[in-house]
Amino acid sequence: MNNRPIVITRSRVAQFGSIVGGAALLIGIIGFIWQGSLTSFVIVTLAVGVAGLGLWAVLNPQEFTGFITGRQVRYGTVTLFSTLLLIGIVALVYTQLQRSTVTLDMTQNQRFSLSTETLGVLRRVTRDIQITGFYTSRNLTTRELDDQFFRLYEDATDGRIRRVYIDPEENPAQASRFGVQQDAQVYISYLNTDGTEVDFNTLARVPRSGAQERDMTDAISRLLIAGTVKIYFEQSLGERDPLDTTSEGLSGIHNGVQESGLVTAALNLAGLAASGGDIPADAATVIFARPLRGLSEAEIGVIDRYLQRGGALLLMADVLYTDDAFLGESDLFNQYLWERYGIRALDAVVVDTASSGTTALDVVSAAVYTDNDIGARLAPDEGISTLFRVARAVDVNIDSAPPNIANGRVIMSSPLSFGETNLATLGATNQFTFDEGQDLPGPLTTVVWSFHQQTQAKIVLVGDSDFATNGLALSPQGNGILFTDSVAWLTNLSERIQFSPQAFSANLPLIFVSQQQLDLITFVTIILLPGATIVSGLAIWARRMRQ
Amino acid sequence: MNTLTIFRREVEQYFTTPFAWLIAAAVLLLTGLLFNQNLSQAARGATIVDPAFIPSVFSFALVFFAPLLTMRLLAEERREGTMELLLTSPVDEGSIVLGKFLGAWFYFTLLLALTLVYQIILLSISQPDIGHSLCAYIGIWLYGGATLAVGTLFSALTENQIVSAFLSMIALMLLWLGDSVGQVIANLEVARFVRTLTLQGHYSTSFAAGLFRGEDVAFYAGIIVVLLFLTMRLVASNRWR
Amino acid sequence: MIEVKGLTKRYGDRLAVDHLSFTAKPGEVLGLLGPNGAGKTTTMRMLTGYLPPTEGSASIAGYDILEDSMEARRRVGYLPERVPLYPDMTVRGYVTFWARLRGIRSPRKHVNAALERVHLMDRQNQLVRNLSKGLRQRLGLAQALVHNPAVIILDEPTIGIDPQQVIEVRESVRALGKEHTVLFSTHILSEAEHVCDRVLIINKGRVIAQGKPADLRRQMEPKTQLYVVVGGASGKAARQLLSAIPGVLAVERDGDGYSLTVEGDRDLRGEVSSHVMQAGYTLLEIRQATTSLEDIFLEIVGKSR
């Protein structure tokens, strides 16, 4: 009688051990498969499981052996464990393949492969970059598709570029920090030096267009050059003000340059000339946005020394009705440019009698030369044209260019235009007529470029400055493109982000088919094929039924 | 050897009964209609022909179509009593299950191959992205194998074909819903994990987009292996009841 | 050929087969006789490897059904009670399929032999679904013997077919017994008597009698029955009168009259009638009933119940 309570306790403990042990073992195995490694949690649960079952075996050996030798249980357990083992193996293979990115891009336009250009850009990545994507769970498939693509960047840089996804609804604070406005927006930025936080100073939104790779690689390139390319705005010759926010100012393009990761600064050419100084060595490009006067010899000397070092100039020469105009026909600097670089400005206002603008003085680009990157994205036929309000004709000496010079046109006006040389009358009365022999016959050049093959000096000369102002920079579209692509060419940005256009043709094949062909296809696919299947099925069936 | 014998009988069965031919005709009619609609739209310039169009039609159609193919595989054997004879023959359960599954997969493969007609038509009137289409076809072939494995499992669970088909349709529907899982589950990471367990999650954003990923192959192959293993044990459990 | 030792099958608490032991020699047709639910089918399923025994062991042609299941299965031809058929196959295709599954590489000869044997050669290209019930039974037999197995197990092969075909099937089974060991189950005693060399009568999973059919009959034969209806006597008087007749072992009331159990195979009709007459009663009916094996069977089964 005394033993009885002890016996009950003993078997109860055994029962308890069996239940807890079995459950813990199961949880441990699931945990192991889930986490893929022997974490302390997994080890503890497995240990508890083994201990529980051990307790059962020791305290109630008969029940224990009866349990495990029962055929059904043995069979069931073997099935369970081997199934779990199989699932574990599958999961292991799966994660291994996932980690090692065993993929094959089978699309014609290599949508899931990085171009050599992109790989070139990625080789220069030395600091950790984070791609931050904001997707809600509703946009799961977009995110999966994008992730396939972003993963290529991560793999190509051995993880230097990493991907982070944030649900803007789960985490609105982060979303507002990044400035998320809609679903599926993607940002790119450097990480702070400790590698944990996003460096918000370098944050940029990655646009979403048809050319995913171009957008992303562009963004990375901009990040790479951030802070390394410095653009100087000349300010001592009465130029337009880069900080002026009125429609005559340049604040728009100035901000745009900064947003593209370029650094801007002001340059005082007059001061440098007076002190015998030099244009700073870090100047990737100097922009002359409509200087009001001609340059002195000393100032030309400063510029010459800069160009000899491989400098780059963006010259915007507007029509000025003054005697001492910048790049006037007898101006020293104009002569310098003509002799050394084969380009010059002409004292002629382009009058376009076929102009689609409000007056004949609104000069629209009619022909664009695409041999230089500056003109590559301008396409008047597709409505991407520039508009110059009172433009000055410029000239380029292609046939007998100075030694080591490569030069060319970018934009020309329409064949129906001419160059009015009588600036005085035009300035006073706003009248213009074509005077045979005196005025220049069209078409006329309005933008030219020149490149010194030895010094690598580059110059873009535009016979207008209005196109870059806040009033006109974004409309028409071509104006902004002309400015950014000029800067990109001058600073060699376009060489860093150079794409072969066909690599990004998102255009899927067009279909060439007549109605007749369509009808035939309809007949074959909807009537003939299914019909033939049914008939052959019935035939076989009928034949067999008779057997 | 035994697998081959059973496989051959299955394939013969598909081709000598009107049922399988009717299914094939229905599938061809469905894909044909959708293909024509898509094509005439594209011809009018409204859309482009998606290289993965036909395979993607299958990705949904298989939810209903795979159970019809597999419902009789094992259920019928049990109902007709032939399972008893199979299990008392010197044949292991693995051969039985594998032979039957391969038979169904083979039939599906032929059906899929028939739809290559659409690709040939496209090829004659356009320059479609063949690599992309091929990738989608490989994907849907594996996807189809996985759905047939699901159907095979349910066929072994019950001897009523209708119940078997109904259950596997429900299961496949759940597995198909992968792309909409985000609508249901608000948490992105959970939604993403759930999606990786679904059939669509390994097709619609990889194979269908022209990207062949090793992990997707592993997923479908894994599903097939695990489910066939379970089916095999289930069939063998007759011996142990 | 078949050796069964202590074979037991338990479904939960119910014993379907209870420590069954028997052997069957080569060239013997062994009958398993018993009512429905006696455990015949379960025994056969265990022997063919379809069901695992709970206890005990069995071997076929020397191969244990659990340890060497594959080898044992290779040597068994089995026809379950409900003939398992693929309706959409041809007769030839069906037999060929099973021949292949039983490991025959080029089954043509075997199939021909099997079809000849069950007289289905002229129907070899017919669809199984178009066969009559008797022909299906024969087809089932063909698949069981196509691989020329050492042991053929037939589970109630004559159930549900017309008498003419029953005779055909019985003949086939007897013919098979010359070359194979045949285990044959039935619940019809006369069938066992016709077909089997030896009969095991089983009930509730246990062997309750065994032996050659003729022996079994002889065991039971002494008990001839006589049915008598006596007019004009009270029940007690009639009983007294009848039991006093020499050679009558027992008297039992049976409807209007009495059943008498008579010693040996004596014909007592004359004596009974004269005794009744002498006592002044009228003999309304007298009839002799020889026991059939059915009665023996029912009696044995009844006793074991």
Side-chain angles (χ1 to χ4, degrees):
Chain A
M1 280 303 278
N2 279 348
N3 280 347
R4 218 178 138 196
I6 299 166
V7 171
I8 287 169
T9 316
R10 202 180 152 99
S11 71
R12 277 214 179 135
V13 170
Q15 200 181 16
F16 176 77
S18 72
I19 293 169
V20 170
L25 209 59
L26 199 66
I27 292 171
I29 290 164
I30 292 171
F32 176 65
I33 291 163
W34 187 284
Q35 293 174 327
S37 64
L38 280 171
T39 58
S40 51
F41 169 77
V42 171
I43 293 170
V44 168
T45 45
L46 286 178
V48 168
V50 171
L53 294 180
L55 201 66
W56 183 26
V58 170
L59 292 181
N60 202 340
Q62 250 182 329
E63 190 187 282
F64 181 76
T65 48
F67 182 81
I68 42 178
T69 52
R71 188 172 26 216
Q72 277 184 24
V73 171
R74 199 175 57 207
Y75 183 79
T77 319
V78 166
T79 302
L80 179 73
F81 276 93
S82 39
T83 307
L84 286 180
L85 189 71
L86 210 55
I87 291 175
I89 292 170
V90 168
L92 196 72
V93 172
Y94 178 88
T95 46
Q96 281 308 311
L97 284 171
Q98 192 176 35
R99 253 171 234 159
S100 53
T101 324
V102 181
T103 58
L104 178 63
D105 180 6
M106 294 178 74
T107 58
Q108 209 165 42
N109 55 15
Q110 296 293 296
R111 187 176 160 203
F112 295 102
S113 315
L114 297 179
S115 61
T116 45
E117 288 89 345
T118 295
L119 292 176
V121 169
L122 294 182
R123 266 194 291 278
R124 300 208 311 273
V125 173
T126 51
R127 215 179 127 188
D128 287 346
I129 291 177
Q130 176 170 313
I131 297 172
T132 318
F134 286 87
Y135 300 84
T136 63
S137 57
R138 283 184 301 284
N139 245 323
L140 193 59
T141 44
T142 316
R143 179 209 141 133
E144 288 297 305
L145 218 46
D146 287 352
D147 186 51
Q148 303 295 338
F149 180 71
F150 298 157
R151 179 165 142 178
L152 300 174
Y153 286 83
E154 184 169 312
D155 292 339
T157 54
D158 286 331
R160 263 220 183 280
I161 295 180
R162 66 176 204 188
R163 302 160 287 159
V164 170
Y165 296 97
I166 299 173
D167 185 341
E169 284 169 0
E170 288 265 295
N171 205 335
Q174 280 283 19
S176 71
R177 261 182 104 189
F178 278 77
V180 176
Q181 282 142 1
Q182 63 201 61
D183 207 349
Q185 282 193 330
V186 179
Y187 294 84
I188 187 164
S189 62
Y190 276 126
L191 288 174
N192 276 338
T193 37
D194 58 356
T196 51
E197 255 294 289
V198 165
D199 181 356
F200 277 94
N201 294 325
T202 60
L203 189 72
R205 189 162 65 79
V206 182
R208 179 176 286 278
S209 73
Q212 205 174 19
E213 186 180 355
R214 181 180 189 128
D215 291 340
M216 180 52 76
T217 304
D218 255 343
I220 292 172
S221 307
R222 280 201 296 274
L223 210 55
L224 286 177
I225 55 157
T228 63
V229 175
K230 208 161 178 180
I231 307 275
Y232 282 82
F233 281 86
E234 212 301 313
Q235 295 285 278
S236 61
L237 305 171
E239 286 96 339
R240 291 180 188 273
D241 184 358
L243 302 179
D244 181 0
T245 54
T246 67
S247 64
E248 291 293 304
L250 298 176
S251 62
I253 57 163
H254 181 255
N255 288 345
V257 166
Q258 282 190 328
E259 279 168 15
S260 302
L262 308 183
V263 180
T264 59
L267 184 80
N268 185 347
L269 184 64
L272 290 175
S275 63
D278 267 323
I279 294 176
D282 62 355
T285 292
V286 180
I287 295 175
F288 289 78
R290 194 207 57 190
L292 291 177
R293 66 165 173 84
L295 301 185
S296 69
E297 236 170 298
E299 285 159 350
I300 295 170
V302 172
I303 290 175
D304 184 46
R305 288 202 296 280
Y306 172 61
L307 289 176
Q308 295 289 346
R309 297 202 310 264
L313 299 179
L314 174 56
L315 305 173
M316 303 183 197
D318 233 328
V319 179
L320 298 168
Y321 309 105
T322 54
D323 290 339
D324 183 27
F326 178 65
L327 298 185
E329 222 155 60
S330 54
D331 181 55
L332 283 175
F333 188 44
N334 210 15
Q335 284 171 13
Y336 166 83
L337 288 177
W338 187 247
E339 282 164 18
R340 305 285 281 273
Y341 293 95
I343 55 174
R344 67 178 169 186
L346 300 173
D347 277 343
V349 175
V350 181
V351 177
D352 188 356
T353 53
S355 170
S356 55
T358 45
T359 78
L361 296 180
D362 282 352
V363 182
V364 177
S365 55
V368 170
Y369 292 81
T370 52
D371 54 340
N372 180 296
D373 286 340
I374 302 169
R377 285 204 287 158
L378 295 170
D381 298 339
E382 290 166 32
I384 303 172
S385 50
T386 58
L387 172 67
F388 296 161
R389 196 150 274 169
V390 191
R392 197 167 160 184
V394 296
D395 196 9
V396 58
N397 189 357
I398 296 175
D399 297 331
S400 51
N404 296 321
I405 289 296
N407 55 13
R409 296 182 175 88
V410 180
I411 295 176
M412 289 190 88
S413 58
S414 86
L416 296 174
S417 61
F418 67 91
E420 176 63 59
T421 50
N422 195 343
L423 296 186
T425 319
L426 183 68
T429 64
N430 208 19
Q431 296 283 314
F432 42 81
T433 46
F434 180 64
D435 302 315
E436 191 72 47
Q438 204 175 1
D439 288 344
L440 307 175
L444 292 163
T445 310
T446 51
V447 182
V448 293
W449 60 274
S450 180
F451 174 59
H452 196 290
Q453 281 150 340
Q454 269 180 356
T455 63
Q456 306 284 310
K458 287 175 167 179
I459 303 172
V460 173
L461 172 58
V462 185
D464 186 58
S465 68
D466 305 273
F467 81 98
T469 61
N470 295 340
L472 288 174
L474 290 178
S475 128
Q477 208 185 344
N479 285 358
I481 292 175
L482 174 64
F483 176 80
T484 48
D485 288 359
S486 297
V487 172
W489 179 68
L490 288 167
T491 54
N492 293 331
L493 278 187
S494 54
E495 270 171 28
R496 302 183 192 186
I497 319 168
Q498 204 168 49
F499 293 101
S500 35
Q502 73 274 15
F504 298 98
S505 66
N507 297 333
L508 276 133
L510 293 168
I511 297 214
F512 306 103
V513 64
S514 66
Q515 191 57 43
Q516 221 174 350
Q517 275 175 303
L518 267 183
D519 291 344
L520 179 69
I521 291 169
T522 308
F523 173 75
V524 168
T525 54
I526 295 183
I527 296 169
L528 197 65
L529 266 176
T533 316
I534 288 188
V535 167
S536 41
L538 287 179
I540 288 179
W541 182 59
R543 214 194 70 204
R544 286 188 69 94
M545 275 299 108
R546 266 184 274 115
Q547 284 181 345
Chain B
M1 184 60 203
N2 289 330
T3 310
L4 188 70
T5 307
I6 289 173
F7 169 80
R8 268 170 55 178
R9 201 196 77 77
E10 280 309 315
V11 173
E12 235 169 76
Q13 168 110 9
Y14 279 123
F15 284 98
T16 51
T17 52
F19 182 67
W21 290 90
L22 285 180
I23 287 186
V27 166
L28 280 178
L29 189 65
L30 174 76
T31 50
L33 282 171
L34 291 170
F35 172 74
N36 272 281
Q37 191 195 359
N38 198 277
L39 185 66
S40 59
Q41 266 177 6
R44 270 184 271 121
T47 53
I48 35 128
V49 172
D50 179 359
F53 180 70
I54 293 297
S56 297
V57 169
F58 268 100
S59 78
F60 180 65
L62 273 169
V63 171
F64 302 97
F65 163 65
L68 291 181
L69 278 186
T70 55
M71 62 181 187
R72 33 159 292 276
L73 281 187
L74 295 156
E76 195 179 62
E77 299 274 359
R78 299 237 318 237
R79 210 197 51 207
E80 296 288 327
T82 40
M83 187 56 96
E84 184 171 346
L85 219 45
L86 280 177
L87 288 176
T88 56
S89 298
V91 180
D92 60 295
E93 300 83 15
S95 302
I96 298 173
V97 172
L98 192 65
K100 287 184 162 284
F101 167 76
L102 288 179
W105 205 6
F106 179 75
Y107 173 81
F108 170 69
T109 308
L110 288 186
L111 197 57
L112 200 61
L114 271 184
T115 67
L116 286 175
V117 168
Y118 305 128
Q119 300 304 321
I120 294 168
I121 289 173
L122 275 185
L123 209 58
S124 69
I125 55 173
S126 172
Q127 287 103 35
D129 189 341
I130 299 167
H132 190 162
S133 290
L134 184 68
C135 186
Y137 265 90
I138 294 172
I140 207 67
W141 182 68
L142 290 167
Y143 182 114
T147 58
L148 293 172
V150 171
T152 310
L153 175 67
F154 280 102
S155 175
L157 274 177
T158 164
E159 57 181 81
N160 187 325
Q161 296 192 24
I162 305 296
V163 173
S164 147
F166 183 68
L167 289 178
S168 36
M169 271 181 207
I170 290 175
L172 286 177
M173 188 53 116
L174 288 175
L175 284 174
W176 178 79
L177 283 175
D179 279 354
S180 334
V181 71
Q183 318 281 348
V184 186
I185 301 172
N187 185 302
L188 185 67
E189 283 311 311
V190 175
R192 192 160 177 245
F193 176 75
V194 172
R195 187 170 182 274
T196 60
L197 296 179
T198 65
L199 291 169
Q200 277 282 4
H202 293 275
Y203 170 74
S204 68
T205 53
S206 47
F207 283 122
L211 182 66
F212 181 96
R213 298 192 303 190
E215 69 219 64
D216 296 329
V217 177
F219 176 80
Y220 289 128
I223 286 226
I224 292 171
V225 168
V226 169
L227 292 186
L228 289 188
F229 176 76
L230 270 178
T231 310
M232 187 193 99
R233 300 299 282 191
L234 213 57
V235 168
S237 78
N238 282 312
R239 290 192 209 284
W240 304 109
R241 278 190 189 142
Chain C
M1 275 291 117
I2 307 178
E3 274 193 52
V4 177
K5 275 186 210 141
L7 201 64
T8 302
K9 181 70 192 177
R10 192 179 275 118
Y11 294 108
D13 289 337
R14 200 172 69 82
L15 265 175
V17 176
D18 188 3
H19 295 89
L20 202 63
S21 300
F22 63 87
T23 54
K25 290 181 280 296
E28 184 180 41
V29 179
L30 179 64
L32 280 185
L33 183 62
N36 290 328
K40 299 181 304 256
T41 300
T42 307
T43 305
M44 289 183 156
R45 285 183 163 175
M46 284 192 281
L47 288 178
T48 51
Y50 184 63
L51 286 176
T54 316
E55 261 175 62
S57 65
S59 66
I60 295 217
Y63 294 98
D64 189 275
I65 55 162
L66 281 181
E67 304 298 320
D68 285 315
S69 178
M70 279 295 174
E71 287 303 316
R73 280 191 249 163
R74 232 181 278 282
R75 285 161 178 80
V76 173
Y78 177 40
L79 176 60
E81 183 175 335
R82 221 181 77 215
V83 185
L85 294 172
Y86 294 117
D88 289 309
M89 289 181 103
T90 60
V91 166
R92 184 172 198 94
Y94 176 81
V95 179
T96 310
F97 173 69
W98 290 111
R100 282 226 173 83
L101 276 193
R102 273 120 183 201
I104 297 170
R105 284 292 166 97
S106 39
R108 170 172 272 278
K109 266 190 192 163
H110 283 83
V111 172
N112 283 345
L115 288 177
E116 290 285 3
R117 188 141 206 180
V118 298
H119 310 296
L120 278 175
M121 204 56 180
D122 50 339
R123 296 177 188 267
Q124 55 171 315
N125 289 322
Q126 235 174 35
L127 277 195
V128 171
R129 67 161 73 245
N130 297 341
L131 293 183
S132 72
K133 214 151 183 211
L135 293 179
R136 289 180 183 201
Q137 202 77 34
R138 269 156 47 180
L139 182 60
L141 212 53
Q143 75 57 40
L145 56 85
V146 67
H147 54 305
N148 208 11
V151 172
I152 295 177
I153 296 182
L154 307 170
D155 194 356
E156 309 230 9
T158 55
I159 210 162
I161 52 178
D162 66 58
Q164 179 55 38
Q165 288 167 331
V166 167
I167 291 168
E168 280 176 25
V169 169
R170 285 177 185 168
E171 238 129 66
S172 310
V173 173
R174 246 208 310 257
L176 283 176
K178 284 169 191 149
E179 296 154 39
H180 309 266
T181 306
V182 179
L183 185 64
F184 170 93
S185 84
T186 178
H187 63 278
I188 304 162
L189 191 68
S190 58
E191 185 165 284
E193 193 180 1
H194 277 109
V195 175
C196 304
D197 300 322
R198 206 152 58 85
V199 177
L200 294 179
I201 299 178
I202 60 173
N203 191 41
K204 290 189 167 174
R206 250 179 295 185
V207 178
I208 50 181
Q210 61 174 307
K212 289 186 173 144
D215 291 346
L216 283 175
R217 179 185 281 275
R218 207 167 306 132
Q219 264 179 33
M220 306 304 164
E221 251 169 1
K223 286 154 188 165
T224 319
Q225 300 258 320
L226 208 55
Y227 184 72
V228 180
V229 182
V230 181
S234 70
K236 205 181 168 188
R239 191 185 278 272
Q240 244 171 17
L241 172 73
L242 292 173
S243 35
I245 301 169
V248 172
L249 296 174
V251 179
E252 252 177 279
R253 177 104 207 169
D254 185 359
D256 292 339
Y258 296 89
S259 263
L260 311 184
T261 307
V262 181
E263 193 186 272
D265 49 359
R266 289 168 61 185
D267 188 352
L268 284 184
R269 276 178 295 187
E271 287 174 48
V272 170
S273 83
S274 63
H275 273 86
V276 171
M277 301 297 200
Q278 280 170 17
Y281 303 124
T282 46
L283 186 65
L284 296 180
E285 190 183 340
I286 186 162
R287 148 162 75 85
Q288 190 165 25
T290 319
T291 44
S292 67
L293 267 174
E294 304 294 335
D295 302 321
I296 303 171
F297 175 51
L298 284 175
E299 191 185 350
I300 294 171
V301 168
K303 269 186 203 158
S304 74
R305 197 158 280 164

